[in-house]
Amino acid sequence: MIKAILIFNNHGKPRLSKFYEHYNEDIEQQIIRETFHLVSKRDENVCNFLEGGMLIGGSDYKLIYRHYATLYFVFCVDSSESELGILDLIQVFVETLDKCFENVCELDLIFHVDKVHNILAEMVMGGMVLETNMNEIITQVDAQNKMEKSEVRLTLPVHYFYLSVYQAGQVDTGRYCRSACSCRISCKEHEPPGNAQKHQHW
Amino acid sequence: MYFYNVNELYRAMSPSVPLQEMIRAIRSARTQCEERGVIQRECAAIRAQFRQADNGGRSHNLAKLLYVHMLGYPAHFGQMECVRMIASPRYSEKRVGYLGAMMLLDEKQDASLLITNSIKNDLSHSNQYVQSLALCTLACMGSAEMCRDLAPEIDRLLRASNSYIKKKAALCAVHIVRKVHDLGELFVPAARSLLAEKNHGVLHGAVVLIIELCERNPETLERFRKTVPDLVQIMKGLVLSGYSPEHDVAGISDPFLQVRILRLLRILGRNNEGASDAMNDLLAQVATNTDSTKTVGNAVLYETVLTVLDIKSESGLRVLAVNILGRFLLNNDRNIRYIAMTSLQKIVGTDHNAVQRHRGTIVDCLKDQDASVKRRALELSLALVSASNIRSMMKELLLFLSSCPAELKAHAASGIFNAAERYAPSQRWHIDTILHVLTTAGGDVRDETVPNLIQLITNASELHCYTVHKLYRALLTDISQQSLVQVACWCIGEYGDLLLRGECQETEAVQVTEDDVLDALETVLQSHMSSPATRGFALTATMKLSTRITDNVDRIRSIVSIYGSCIDVELQQRAVEYNALFKKYDHMRAAVLERMPVIEKNSSGHTNGETTGEAIKDIQPAKVKQGELLLPPQPANQVCDLLDLLGGSDETLQPSPAVGAPVPGLLINTASIAGGDLLDLLGVLEPAPLAPVLTAPTVPVYEKDGVTLTLSCEKQSDTGLTVTLTASNSTESDISSFTLQAAVPKSVQLHMKAPSGDSLPARGTAKVTQMVVLNNPNKVSLKMRVRISYTSQGSAFQDTVQIDSFPGLDAAGQ
């Protein structure tokens, strides 16, 4: 069983935290801090498994993590899960995010945390692995997003031509990113031309 | 018509826009304080919005709240809003509502009960995505009541719905079974039928469900054994199917499903010949055909190996499996090495020899940089230690101990001790090893190491000389490791004469003078690094040396008297006692400070003096009540002397808050460590039974018709006395309603405690004791009249006996 899934950046700021067992809010924050502390100490070329986190439960639990550029993806699992399998699952998760957000980067996760939750809900349910096929997951997520949008469409029948500007999971305020990257989110890094700074993609 | 207010449009179009604005605002805050300010403002706005009955932007507000919750700020006021949103007909609102429910609610909150009905309705919704939302939420936070309510619904969905819902329902069923074990029975038929599905997601869910059902209930396990052929068939299909684009991950067809099925096969094949036979071929096939160059291939291989080793597989297959693990161990990828060691750990009990073959590689992993790998290697190395390889393994382990990370030190040290204890080839080696550990990791060893080591040393009588020399040298180099210093002090105190003699067969001789030794002990006494317990050891050692050295007794006297005014109460008490020993009881000093006998490990007997016959006083544990007498097993005529002695010695000692009547006998407890480890050391394990069973003499006072009454008494204080009357029955018939009544002279106060019973079985199989507490403030001559009444063979008896003299008191009754 997966006890928790955490995504945080190199400075320890949480980008996603999903707990499959109930803890108090302050305990949750403590777990995030402790996990960050343990994981950030690790070298680049050591193995991806960690033991010895105190708070999230004694000897049966391991932390399985992967570090991608500025983000750590950490799964806290018990012995009923295969360690290598979870490593592969993290990979599938990241690839799915990449497909859904098109060259996903940390800012995507920041501004669309609810969508990340929706994607995760198609992969892991109740602490158990639900679906591992990337295409299947993406199909379902797209269908659900379409449903949501169709509801909105119903309330504004006249102006649906604005909706054509929509992409799945993205908002376009009319300003395209002027920098060299293909990110289509309006983010503060890409303010009016001249200040374009490239943000990190991975 | 298209001149719309753009902001309104955006807000209506996508629920995420206001969320993004808020996120932007939070991120632009430069300090933590500013961020808190922004969030408080937003939360206030959200709360206001919640209170409004109906507005179009409800889902945005809840989304914002959830974001704030992730950052760690309180969000409990959103719980009711979640409930309302879940009940809304709109999908977007339901979605956020359910997400909020999973994050903010749990079974302890009352609000979670309110969503049960909504979930129930949504489970039968026409839209499969609404159904899936409900299933997801139920699987995440469903309480036991909710699960019981909704289990039939889930069962229905397991049978008749599309594959998308089926797979979610399967995992939901797993959650239900975890919460309410009895409901497992309900899902067995559905689970069985799901195995025939083609959809991999559903299959995966079904296998997880079956694993859960089998683990909970052994009968279900029996029933599912029949599915082994089906499972084998499915696996074969996956392994041999060739390339299938939808399930392919790096060349392997749906490795996640393969791993799951292998795990289920393991559970089904455990301890069962028939099932294991059915899977042998398949496992061999998977083991040989799977490509191990990619991680996914390794995941499948790893699971296969674990399965092979857990079921009753044939020996050829087992050898294959262990070889695969051996290959894993040599892999460059640290992950693979880590899991190889994890799996070797699981089989080291059963296939010990096979794992021994890889000992070299494992020991090399001790030197790896990675802390996780080191931990695994340590566990495995400790498990692989055996009588034949103890010397080489210990060398490696000691090397590891000197450079291992701090969190592993305690574990390594205790592992080494265990191994040394079980397989030590010689006592000298054992002592050497322990000393080595104490010098490298002395701060991390457990407390009972010190008494254990001391016990070991006393047992190795021919090595006393060698040990004390080594310890002395260690003491000179480093006095910071408390355990080592404590043992060293104890040994020097005990065997100081051997040290001073200078010659030693086993190690090079070093000329040590008495002054050197006393200097060393004094350094320990005065050092800031020494803990109070260590200083206690050092002081006692100094005292003991007074009988073992000849010239510098005055120096010892002066050291001891200085500590008579030490701030530490324990040291002060000891110093004062030793002073008394010098001054008033010098004639006893040699006897008191004699060599200690061989200590038996964990002996629970009270007396240690019997083994050697030396005049070592009976030792009572430290918790002795003030004034309680400790009478050594000595002839009775000395008893009274000793009583006077002890009565007199009361005045010279300063009152100390610590419990403990100062008795010379207690001085033997030299290695007294705070907290009662003393007891282990000297083999006396229980805290003081207050009745001095072995020491107070009992006197028969009444014997008639087979009923015997004996009396023993104990002085509690100057005027207080506890008398214990013990009755036994040596006739052939049982006695019942046995009661004792007592009368004493007028000025004496009497208090009878409850008797231990009132029936005396025949032939003295059990006794009845009665305690009587007397207080004699006027110190009159003590007499007591006891009336005995009982029923035997149907008739009542009564008798009276007068007791004029009490054992242990002189004629005046004092």
Side-chain angles (χ1 to χ4, degrees), chain A residues 137-184:
Chain A
I137 298 169
I138 295 177
T139 320
Q140 299 299 340
V141 169
D142 282 346
Q144 290 178 17
N145 288 339
K146 251 194 218 106
M147 240 191 71
E148 215 176 297
K149 257 148 229 125
S150 69
E151 268 182 1
V152 173
R153 193 172 283 157
L154 286 172
T155 66
L156 289 169
V158 180
H159 298 282
Y160 57 78
F161 78 90
Y162 278 103
L163 296 170
S164 63
V165 179
Y166 268 67
Q167 304 273 336
Q170 292 189 9
V171 168
D172 203 321
T173 61
R175 258 188 324 169
Y176 279 68
C177 170
R178 310 286 176 115
S179 76
C181 72
S182 56
C183 157
R184 306 195 63 188

Side-chain angles (χ1 to χ4, degrees), chain B residues 730-768:
Chain B
S730 57
T731 63
E732 291 295 316
S733 52
D734 295 327
I735 284 178
S736 57
S737 322
F738 184 87
T739 45
L740 291 169
Q741 290 157 308
V744 287
K746 279 215 182 60
S747 60
V748 180
Q749 290 150 12
L750 170 96
H751 174 62
M752 294 196 68
K753 297 234 160 106
S756 65
D758 72 339
S759 64
L760 286 170
R763 289 183 223 107
T765 40
K767 297 186 199 288
V768 166

Side-chain angles (χ1 to χ4, degrees), chain B residues 490 533 536-537 540 570 574 622 669-678 681:
Chain B
W490 190 90
F537 268 91
T540 310
E570 171 76 18
R574 286 183 194 215
N669 305 344
T670 52
S672 119
I673 307 159
D677 270 344
L678 167 65
L681 177 65

